[in-house]
Amino acid sequence: MRGWCQGGLLAVSWFCATAAAAELEFDHVWIVVSRDAPERAALERAGLKISPAVNRNDGQGTASVSAEFLNAYLELMWPDPTVSVAPGAERGVEKFKNRMNWRTSGWCPIGIALHRVGSKTTLAFPTWSIAPDWMPAGTAIEILTARDDTKSPSFFIEPPVLAVNEEANRKIDNKDPKREAFQHPIGVERVTEIRLVRPKAYQPVVAFTYLENAGIFKSTEGAEWAVEITLDAGRKNQTKDLRPALPLLIHY
């Protein structure tokens, strides 16, 4: 299952951005899109493979598809009326709808997921947790974006059971059908940089500043929200701008 309910240029070829104080690493990024993700066509035209399975996030009212890499993934998520919403989770669905309509609502359509690489360290600002129905029992997602924040990206920490495991992905046999998810037509394998383009009027909140200072992502100002993803350190010196279909640029 993929999903969540709130709704730098690196000179090396592997993603090493780590928030040292809390031992955090980048895990994946999502963009909230229209129902059934017709925007996936833009990713496919750009040379990325979309995994065929549609993830239904029971209890949080969303569904998603993803492009998988060895060390991360890019997820397209949408509010789906055919997916159940747990009692009390209605506000989360409304947040996702606002993110989906970001061009008119003023919300940010982007989420940045992290995972821990060491012991759980308390962050220097308040966080809160959720445990949607689709998650394994006894696990939770720690959310770094304030509950009432209507302007920022979603920042959250995945529990270990949901975190991307590059070592395990590399061990998947070439004959295993699961390996096909990493075989993109443009021949890329790894996410090596995340850069957020933020509107000039946006004032970064404490979580945004903390993660940027820690090297999880870089940011620049622009006309509207977007995310730039660099794959394999941009060794082919190619860029594909998927706007306006998706607020996304891909460098590889």
Side-chain angles (χ1 to χ4, degrees), residues 1-7 28 30-32 53-66 73 75-86 89 92-93 96 130-136 141 156 158 162:
M1 286 283 184
R2 306 291 194 197
W4 177 65
C5 94
Q6 191 192 347
H28 68 273
W30 53 244
I31 301 173
V32 185
V54 175
N55 305 296
R56 294 173 60 85
N57 304 311
D58 296 321
Q60 72 174 43
T62 64
S64 67
V65 293
S66 58
Y73 59 93
E75 184 175 27
L76 303 183
M77 192 183 310
W78 63 91
D80 192 322
T82 71
V83 179
S84 65
V85 179
V93 176
F96 265 117
I130 57 170
D133 295 348
W134 61 267
M135 291 180 58
I141 293 172
F156 55 101
E158 295 271 56
L162 297 179

Side-chain angles (χ1 to χ4, degrees), residues 108 149-153 155 198-209 221 225:
C108 175
D149 190 331
T150 65
K151 302 294 184 182
S152 299
F155 299 118
R198 50 186 170 82
K200 293 181 180 179
Y202 175 70
Q203 296 296 315
V205 296
V206 61
F208 188 108
T209 301
E221 288 188 346
W225 283 107

Side-chain angles (χ1 to χ4, degrees), residues 21-22 24 116 121-127 142 144 157 206-207 210-211:
L24 299 175
R116 294 185 183 274
T121 304
T122 301
L123 296 172
F125 49 88
T127 64
E142 184 178 2
L144 283 59
I157 302 172
V206 61
Y210 175 84
L211 295 175

Side-chain angles (χ1 to χ4, degrees), residues 168-221:
N169 287 338
R170 287 191 176 278
K171 291 179 179 178
I172 297 175
D173 189 272
N174 287 334
K175 296 180 181 179
D176 190 322
K178 294 180 181 178
R179 187 74 181 184
E180 295 179 6
F182 307 119
Q183 297 173 347
H184 299 281
I186 56 175
V188 293
E189 292 188 326
R190 307 187 75 259
V191 175
T192 52
E193 177 189 330
I194 294 292
R195 183 181 296 269
L196 291 176
V197 180
R198 50 186 170 82
K200 293 181 180 179
Y202 175 70
Q203 296 296 315
V205 296
V206 61
F208 188 108
T209 301
Y210 175 84
L211 295 175
E212 182 173 21
N213 288 343
I216 294 294
F217 59 81
K218 299 289 186 179
S219 76
T220 55
E221 288 188 346

Side-chain angles (χ1 to χ4, degrees), residues 81-103:
T82 71
V83 179
S84 65
V85 179
E90 295 84 0
R91 185 183 179 190
V93 176
E94 288 304 310
K95 288 181 177 182
F96 265 117
K97 289 179 179 177
N98 284 326
R99 292 188 185 280
M100 178 179 67
N101 298 318
W102 63 280
R103 289 184 173 89

Side-chain angles (χ1 to χ4, degrees), residues 30-44:
W30 53 244
I31 301 173
V32 185
V33 297
S34 306
R35 184 178 176 181
D36 298 324
E39 296 89 343
R40 76 179 72 188
L43 287 181
E44 293 170 334

